[in-house]
Amino acid sequence: MNVPLLDLKAQYQGIKNEVLAAAEEIFERQQFILGPRVEKLEKEIAQYCRSRFAVGVSSGSDALLICLMADGIGPGDRVLTTPYTFFATAGAIARTGATPVFADIEEDTYNLSPADVKRVMEELDEAERSSVKALIPVHLYGQCAEMEPLLAIARQYKMTVIEDAAQAIGAEYRGNRAGAMGDFGCFSFFPSKNLGAFGDGGIVTVQSEALYERLRILRGHGAHPKYVHHLVGGNFRLDALQAAIVSIKLPHLDRWTEARRHNARRYRRLFAEASLEDRIRLPVDRQDRHIYNQFVIAVDSGRDELRQVLAEAGVGSEVYYPIPLHLQECFSYLGYKPGQFPVAEKAALHTLALPVYPELSESQQHYVVETIARYMGEDG
Ligand SMILES: *Cc1c(COP(=O)(O)O)cnc(C)c1O
């Protein structure tokens, strides 16, 4: 049986006619960049995320970058984040000329640990501490980070909060949606996210009207009005075609999210029935609404062998992420050493993402669990 990590073909069949009609209209009109399709999507996403404003941008990575730029972050500043995330989170910080500062994650959710953020802040000297201008919690795998204590720390030290919600559109924490709790929320429409475009795209949610205006200016090279520049921005624009496709998909998102959550519950039942709960750590569902962009398990040993066995059986899986960011060569100048963030380092060695996409069938899930059970049996 073939069980890919993600299969978008079934989803496309359900929206194909609408997508082709929208594409034809855009091709006929020959207006490709920003415009009414993007403005429509911005209103829809702001409403969906229960945020005041949204600004369509070129990718989730650029969403992070433009927020840091809007906040005026640059050389001499520090920005605190998790070392256990997609590279873009810390990459955006480095691209502004600011210095990434890491704190460890929580063992069960893999999200930034408020206690460790506190420790890191307290261990900095006075000058360093006041140079930490922003905090970027990542809602990893689709579950919100522990926002209340993180927001309290940010308030204490006057840090801007930029939520990296690229994997978490529609995730909830104590009644709030991801992206609406901090000053900014960053989303990605990369095809493998829960709400994906047919190419690159992203969006920023923002609560302050002044920051909203600033983001819109930065998105077009800082021009305001045209050809007049008080700021240096970039080309962070979203295409009309991508915006139209995301708008077509958005009304289906809650149904797809429920299907992912259903699949997660079914995995829990199947792993329990196979008596594997003691040997495999399943994702914890701690916050209000985990949207399961990934269903990530952890095994004590043999993660890479298990991945190989799954691949040979036709089951897709992936390691998110094999090297924590503080140990990446490009960040060696920061001076971090192995052992400094033990929880993140352990996660990088033991975790594995399994297929959880909405259209996954019960028999496919059975097959995934059976394949793992067989491997664990042989493994002793
Ligand atoms: C995907 C992702 C990004 C980057 O989004 P792109 O649209 O691919 O640039 C940033 N942060 C996290 C946590 C992501 O998963």
Side-chain angles (χ1 to χ4, degrees), residues 58-62 64 85-86 88-89 138 140 164 166-167 187-190 193 200-202 293 321:
S58 32
S59 68
S61 303
D62 285 342
L64 289 158
T85 174
F86 179 59
T89 317
V138 179
L140 202 69
D164 183 342
Q167 301 181 7
F187 295 88
S188 165
F189 300 135
F190 186 78
K193 312 294 176 169
D200 279 309
N293 178 241
Y321 298 90

Side-chain angles (χ1 to χ4, degrees), residues 88-319:
T89 317
I93 300 167
R95 283 175 65 191
T96 66
T99 303
V101 176
F102 298 111
D104 213 345
I105 57 170
E106 295 188 303
E107 183 115 39
D108 54 354
T109 62
Y110 309 107
N111 276 325
L112 196 56
S113 156
D116 210 55
V117 169
K118 205 156 177 270
R119 177 190 67 83
V120 167
M121 288 304 287
E122 283 165 3
E123 286 178 5
L124 294 174
D125 68 36
E126 192 66 47
E128 289 167 339
R129 196 178 307 132
S130 61
S131 74
V132 181
K133 295 288 163 53
L135 175 70
I136 311 185
V138 179
H139 305 315
L140 202 69
Y141 306 145
Q143 175 159 243
C144 286
E146 197 59 76
M147 288 303 287
E148 223 158 80
L150 290 172
L151 289 167
I153 296 167
R155 265 194 306 276
Q156 180 187 350
Y157 293 110
K158 297 188 169 50
M159 295 147 89
T160 299
V161 176
I162 301 169
E163 299 175 61
D164 183 342
Q167 301 181 7
I169 190 157
E172 291 177 15
Y173 175 89
R174 300 189 189 174
N176 301 294
R177 285 251 156 120
M181 293 175 274
D183 300 280
F184 301 93
C186 297
F187 295 88
S188 165
F189 300 135
F190 186 78
S192 71
K193 312 294 176 169
N194 286 22
L195 183 64
F198 284 12
D200 279 309
I203 204 159
V204 176
T205 49
V206 59
Q207 309 311 319
S208 135
E209 186 156 15
L211 289 174
Y212 165 69
E213 295 299 343
R214 205 170 160 90
L215 288 168
R216 286 165 55 92
I217 291 167
L218 286 167
R219 174 172 68 178
H221 286 291
H224 183 68
K226 207 172 180 181
Y227 305 124
V228 179
H229 300 257
H230 299 282
L231 299 167
V232 178
N235 172 2
F236 300 129
R237 298 178 301 243
L238 180 62
D239 288 353
L241 186 64
Q242 300 305 342
I245 290 165
V246 174
S247 277
I248 289 167
K249 283 189 169 193
L250 184 59
H252 301 281
L253 181 59
D254 283 332
R255 188 165 46 80
W256 293 333
T257 296
E258 284 318 307
R260 285 173 180 271
R261 287 169 55 79
H262 174 80
N263 291 343
R265 284 193 295 274
R266 192 150 64 191
Y267 267 136
R268 286 180 201 286
R269 178 168 59 73
L270 293 173
F271 278 115
E273 283 169 9
S275 304
L276 283 173
E277 300 146 294
D278 300 338
R279 307 190 48 204
I280 291 177
R281 196 142 63 76
L282 299 179
V284 301
D285 195 342
R286 190 194 288 165
Q287 310 303 356
D288 291 359
R289 191 183 191 222
H290 190 328
I291 63 152
Y292 287 100
N293 178 241
Q294 302 296 344
F295 185 91
V296 175
I297 63 166
V299 289
D300 285 342
S301 61
R303 189 267 318 268
D304 294 335
E305 292 88 321
L306 173 59
R307 187 162 186 240
Q308 188 59 36
V309 166
L310 286 167
E312 281 161 12
V315 177
S317 67
E318 189 55 90
V319 176

Side-chain angles (χ1 to χ4, degrees), residues 306 309-311 313-315 366-376:
L306 173 59
V309 166
L310 286 167
V315 177
H366 261 289
Y367 181 70
V368 172
V369 174
E370 263 168 35
T371 307
I372 295 174
R374 192 154 17 88
Y375 167 75
M376 299 299 267

Side-chain angles (χ1 to χ4, degrees), residues 27-43:
F27 295 167
E28 289 297 333
R29 204 185 296 160
Q30 292 285 302
Q31 200 276 317
F32 298 117
I33 314 280
L34 296 177
R37 292 284 198 168
V38 171
E39 283 164 30
K40 177 173 175 285
L41 178 67
E42 290 172 342
K43 290 200 179 76

